[in-house]
Amino acid sequence: MPFIEENDLLDLHKDVEKSQIINERLLDQIKFKNKDLKKLKIQRNVFVAITGLFLVGTLAITSFTAGLSTSNSNQNNLLVSIDSLEAMKMRSDNLKIQNQELSLVKEFYLAKEFLEKETIYSVQVKSFVENNATLASEALTNTLFVKTNPFYAYSLGNFETLEEAQTFRKQLVNIGFSDAFVASYKDGKRVKIEAAN
């Protein structure tokens, strides 16, 4: 097996680590946005209840004063009611937009759960009879150490598609890891690539 310095290996991991960091930041932002959207949903429900009571009260007052007032005062009350209805319609439209945003966040979490249950592809570069923990470095992420009886497999990268893993494998072969190959894992266990598809 060719010799590779840790700096070269770290360079290989930069692309994988960058995408993981970006993903973690996006997840944190989504969690924060989700909390805000939950608060807005509660506020929306309270606002709808208050608006409903206000509308019922306004209609009751309008119908009560309609019998007591002249036609001019009826028209003035009607104009005020129409303005209030337009404001409520605008608020209702804003709440619909916020509800659509909540739906997008929900869809993202459902997609994330789905991907966690899916197959992950990685490029195996070496296997050992004994657990060789000296290969592990705290600076490296997206590495897999998997026990596949009787060996311990050392793999680099976590990819959602076979094509991404094959591209990374070609990069490793180009720098001297001629025996590197793509392996697939599901729920932390090795599966055949044909079964994964």
Side-chain angles (χ1 to χ4, degrees), residues 3-14 140 172 175 177:
F3 176 78
I4 185 168
E5 293 183 7
E6 186 169 278
N7 290 339
D8 293 335
L9 188 57
L10 287 173
D11 289 340
L12 289 175
H13 284 287
K14 282 183 182 178
L140 300 177
L172 290 174
I175 63 167
F177 288 92

Side-chain angles (χ1 to χ4, degrees), residues 119-123 158-170 181-185 191-197:
T119 302
I120 294 174
Y121 299 94
S122 188
V123 180
N158 296 319
F159 302 96
E160 291 179 22
T161 66
L162 180 59
E163 291 78 21
E164 291 172 322
Q166 288 172 336
T167 301
F168 185 63
R169 180 201 161 273
K170 288 177 185 174
F181 63 92
V182 176
S184 58
Y185 301 91
V191 295
K192 290 184 179 181
I193 290 179
E194 295 82 22
N197 292 328

Side-chain angles (χ1 to χ4, degrees), residues 30 99-114:
I30 288 173
N99 195 22
Q100 290 172 346
E101 290 175 355
L102 279 172
S103 295
L104 291 174
V105 170
K106 181 180 176 183
E107 288 175 19
F108 172 79
Y109 281 114
L110 289 174
K112 183 178 179 291
E113 286 179 21
F114 177 76

